[in-house]
Amino acid sequence: MLYNEPSPLETRVLTRRFSLPNSASIDTALANGGYQQFLKACGMTQEQIIDEVKASNLRGRGGAGFPTGMKWGFLPRQSPKPKYIVVNGDESEPGTCKDRVLIENDPHLLIEGILIAAQAVGAKAGYVYIRGEYRYLIDIMEKAIDEAYAKGWLGKNIQGRGVDFDLYTHTGAGAYECGEESALLESLEGKRGQPRIRPPFPAVAGLYQCPTVLNNVETFCAVPSILEMGGKAWADLGIPKAGGTKLTCLTGHVNKCGVYELPLGFPVEKMINEVGGGIRGGRKMKAFIPGGSSCPVLKGDEAWPLTMDYDAMAKAGTMLGSGGVVIMDETTDMVKAALRIMHFYAHESCGWCIPCREGTTWLKKILTRLDRGVGTTRDIDLAGDLAKNMLGRTFCPLGDAAALPTISIVEKFRDEFEAKLRKVQVAVPAFPDSPLVVMQ
Amino acid sequence: MTFSPELEKRIEKLLASYPSNRRKSALIPMLMYAQDETGYVTRELVEEVARRIGIPPVQVDEVVTFYTMLWRKPRGKYHVQVCTNISCLLTGGEELYEHTCKKLGLGHRETAADGVFSLEEVECMGACSWAPAVQINYDFYHHVTPEKLDQLIDDLKKVH
């Protein structure tokens, strides 16, 4: 079901079957164009499929934004080992709730995308890894898989085309780290979800050390429409260098929070004021996160003139990320926001690399002091320095993901950290002799 | 250790999902599905799962200690999870969590003595656009207010 009203400003490509009755059933899918692009793919060569995806400028929708066609092209053509498709449905980036909507409303679109990817690389089996909290989606996905087997869209000799493919679900058990591709593979192999040293990348040595295509749910869901429209036309839905549409989750202080499918390059101002109905209570926007809490935070004034695409966000010093937009109005306590974000990363750090394991915990302690007003000006500098020292020093991007929001909040909202020190110095006279406060 | 026929069926399907020399892949899903029946990961369950997969129990422990959804102590029949991560924080998630603590008389990852409720302050559960959000067992509740939460808990008390 849909949890928010669609917006007339959306470009509904991936979500076009969402409003149909029983949109998750195979009958609805088949009556509305479902699986037809897989049949088209059966008549294409592997290179033709990959070229079409390259032409679409589709970039990974999980957050990293790596070009999908190129990723598929990295798989060896000839391999003595079996090849696998793995779907990353571990969606846990704070602010992001789009894969859930895709699987819930149109699981057959995902299956079709998986089948096309399998055709493109010659894979015979695939796994849909879904985070543990989304148990109801496992049920929806399994029902869809059963329907697809029953109607001959999965299994042996699919639709008489001589293609075999088996698909399974796999539940996670609560670990943000498993959204990182190599940690996901470890988890899928029945181990602790800790990242692998790369290279080799999953395209060469992924699941069971076999060549593996690993993409986000939304990335696979985009593929059928790419074949249907043609890569070029699909790319033109967005802007040059960033093709197509993106499911965008508006969260926080906007009037109409919800998941909306918007073309890449959509103006932030239009997204907030027209799609999202403006900032709550007509207030000013203090801060803006474009795509999940791992992105550097922008000041409201920096964000208004931007567009929602990879390059515009990179130019502004942040990332498009996963599509989890977090909007904070002028009432937001930025010190508390920084602390809450760090609390999350300290909890989710897998413990493998020391800069991340120790850094996130230290930062949490420092930010707690600052939030409670028992910190010092030196703590503010320390938080920034410590976070900078985590950057680029961990196996996986979780360390950076924890450091980036902290660095940006400390730099851009330093006055709020300082104000909190001053305020508490007056408000808590029990501390006047504390050396922590004297240091100011 | 015996499981219900439904769980046995699920485990059979699960083990058939992976290559025959990769049975360990079934470990995490098997623990998750079995835990739904046993309430939490008991010592007995660790040994049973190890036996079925054909690995030493210590390899099961390694996994159980990593994943937050695998519980090593009893949980309530109704496990109430309140999200306070960024999108929920901005829309009242913290106040909602504090309210729930008072309502249930429990703290983070605590279980009531009668075993009916347990409480957990959780990280992002993927309901950010419909925040603040609560999950009770696997059921999602969106746009939850303290009043709505009271109603939910009172209704569950009646059912129980």
Side-chain angles (χ1 to χ4, degrees):
Chain A
M1 64 182 280
L2 297 172
Y3 300 110
N4 55 271
E5 283 294 310
S7 163
L9 295 164
E10 286 181 79
T11 304
R12 296 175 73 90
V13 179
L14 277 67
T15 58
R16 68 177 168 182
R17 291 201 289 254
F18 279 20
S19 304
L20 299 170
N22 298 321
S23 67
S25 83
I26 196 164
D27 293 330
T28 305
L30 287 170
N32 293 279
Y35 291 103
Q36 294 311 303
Q37 302 315 311
F38 163 67
L39 292 181
K40 190 187 215 175
C42 289
M44 296 165 74
T45 65
Q46 295 187 344
E47 283 71 23
Q48 281 171 331
I49 301 172
I50 291 176
D51 285 347
E52 211 62 61
V53 175
K54 280 182 179 164
S56 75
N57 284 338
L58 173 63
R59 293 170 62 167
R61 299 298 198 224
F66 193 83
T68 305
M70 198 191 287
K71 200 172 186 181
W72 293 7
F74 289 151
L75 269 83
R77 283 280 157 276
Q78 301 297 327
S79 166
K81 293 177 178 175
K83 295 173 189 170
Y84 290 102
I85 306 289
V86 176
V87 182
N88 187 343
D90 191 55
E91 179 165 77
S92 346
E93 177 69 26
T96 317
C97 48
K98 65 186 177 64
D99 296 339
R100 185 179 151 197
V101 173
L102 282 167
I103 295 177
E104 180 168 346
N105 290 291
D106 199 351
H108 290 284
L109 179 68
L110 175 60
I111 299 177
E112 187 176 6
I114 294 166
L115 284 169
I116 295 168
Q119 275 299 96
V121 299
K124 300 275 177 257
Y127 296 92
V128 185
Y129 186 107
I130 296 176
R131 66 180 297 189
E133 289 84 348
Y134 289 176
R135 174 62 63 81
Y136 81 108
L137 291 186
I138 294 261
D139 297 337
I140 290 172
M141 200 64 223
E142 290 199 339
K143 184 166 176 262
I145 289 173
D146 288 346
E147 286 177 334
Y149 271 105
K151 301 233 167 177
W153 293 98
L154 283 172
K156 297 263 175 263
N157 192 18
I158 297 172
Q159 301 296 312
R161 306 295 166 117
V163 175
D164 301 340
F165 191 79
D166 288 309
L167 186 62
Y168 310 96
T169 65
H170 183 103
T171 179
Y176 169 73
E177 179 57 16
C178 292
E180 193 280 330
E181 60 179 12
S182 67
L184 184 148
L185 292 170
E186 288 288 291
S187 181
L188 190 43
E189 292 182 7
K191 294 179 250 174
R192 291 167 79 88
Q194 289 170 329
R196 295 174 179 172
I197 298 170
R198 292 168 298 167
F201 289 92
V204 178
L207 183 62
Y208 311 133
Q209 296 298 313
C210 298
T212 302
V213 167
L214 206 167
N215 285 117
N216 176 257
V217 169
E218 188 185 349
T219 312
F220 284 109
C221 287
V223 173
S225 54
I226 290 172
L227 289 201
E228 184 179 3
M229 299 172 69
K232 176 74 177 65
W234 197 88
D236 290 343
L237 291 170
I239 53 162
K241 284 192 170 177
T245 60
K246 173 93 193 74
L247 266 70
T248 306
C249 320
L250 292 187
T251 80
H253 295 152
V254 271
N255 284 315
K256 291 191 225 163
C257 283
V259 178
Y260 304 99
E261 184 173 2
L262 303 174
L264 267 291
F266 202 83
V268 169
E269 193 270 330
K270 198 172 170 189
M271 176 178 78
I272 295 176
N273 285 339
E274 295 180 35
V275 179
I279 307 279
R280 188 184 68 168
R283 296 195 182 90
K284 278 188 183 152
M285 176 164 71
K286 184 191 271 186
F288 176 88
I289 306 179
S293 69
S294 304
C295 303
V297 176
L298 295 179
K299 279 192 161 184
D301 292 343
E302 292 178 281
W304 283 117
L306 298 178
T307 52
M308 292 294 288
D309 59 85
Y310 301 95
D311 291 349
M313 288 300 164
K315 226 169 156 183
T318 183
M319 307 183 287
L320 185 67
S322 61
V325 177
V326 184
I327 290 153
M328 302 180 227
D329 74 16
E330 56 196 321
T331 64
T332 311
D333 177 344
M334 293 309 291
V335 182
K336 182 169 248 180
L339 170 61
R340 187 59 189 86
I341 290 172
M342 190 49 63
H343 176 87
F344 169 72
Y345 291 105
H347 182 265
E348 299 297 339
S349 173
C350 79
W352 187 247
C353 322
I354 296 161
C356 174
R357 183 186 67 211
E358 299 301 315
T360 52
T361 305
W362 291 357
L363 279 169
K364 187 177 124 183
K365 286 180 186 167
I366 297 167
L367 291 167
T368 303
R369 283 207 293 274
L370 290 165
D371 182 51
R372 292 191 185 155
V374 293
T376 65
T377 40
R378 206 171 69 171
D379 279 331
I380 305 174
D381 297 329
L382 187 59
D385 287 351
L386 187 59
K388 279 179 195 153
N389 274 303
M390 288 162 64
L391 282 181
R393 295 200 165 90
T394 51
F395 279 121
C396 88
L398 197 147
D400 289 359
L404 290 168
T406 311
I407 295 169
S408 57
I409 296 176
V410 170
E411 276 176 5
K412 291 177 185 176
F413 300 95
R414 194 181 171 94
D415 54 331
E416 287 200 29
F417 286 82
E418 288 171 347
K420 218 161 188 174
L421 296 181
R422 282 197 292 275
K423 198 171 164 189
V424 174
Q425 227 183 351
V426 179
V428 189
F431 285 103
D433 299 326
S434 157
L436 285 175
V437 180
V438 170
M439 270 167 49
Q440 299 203 39
Chain B
M1 187 174 190
T2 49
F3 294 146
S4 70
E6 297 78 47
L7 180 57
E8 286 293 353
K9 218 173 127 191
R10 191 146 207 177
I11 289 177
E12 193 187 334
K13 188 178 169 190
L14 188 63
L15 284 167
S17 307
Y18 310 97
S20 53
N21 58 342
R22 301 286 183 179
R23 288 169 71 90
K24 197 180 169 186
S25 276
L27 177 54
I28 294 158
M30 201 188 285
L31 285 165
M32 285 287 281
Y33 297 136
Q35 177 182 255
D36 291 345
E37 214 157 79
T38 58
Y40 69 106
V41 181
T42 59
R43 198 66 230 154
E44 201 188 3
L45 179 60
V46 167
E47 280 161 21
E48 178 68 18
V49 167
R51 190 185 63 76
R52 285 175 184 244
I53 291 179
I55 54 175
V58 67
Q59 290 193 11
V60 181
D61 286 327
E62 280 175 7
V63 158
V64 175
T65 52
F66 185 84
Y67 295 92
T68 46
M69 288 183 78
L70 296 173
W71 275 60
R72 284 174 289 160
K73 57 178 191 177
R75 273 186 308 184
K77 182 179 172 192
Y78 302 109
H79 184 49
V80 181
Q81 301 144 82
V82 183
C83 177
T84 58
N85 208 316
I86 190 73
S87 301
C88 286
L89 177 82
L90 296 173
T91 47
E94 199 171 50
E95 293 76 11
L96 185 66
Y97 174 66
E98 279 160 14
H99 177 84
T100 318
C101 288
K102 281 191 206 123
K103 172 84 182 164
L104 294 174
L106 297 171
H108 177 57
R109 280 175 93 90
E110 281 180 3
T111 303
D114 63 3
V116 181
F117 288 101
S118 50
L119 176 64
E120 186 176 5
E121 180 186 10
V122 292
E123 297 304 339
C124 185
M125 59 171 75
C128 319
S129 287
W130 317 288
V134 168
Q135 241 190 324
I136 300 180
N137 297 342
Y138 291 113
D139 296 328
F140 278 90
Y141 299 91
H142 296 151
H143 301 299
V144 183
T145 57
E147 296 73 37
K148 206 168 153 186
L149 187 114
D150 285 349
Q151 189 64 50
L152 273 170
I153 289 176
D154 292 341
D155 287 351
L156 287 173
K157 274 183 184 161
K158 273 182 224 152
V159 178
H160 177 76

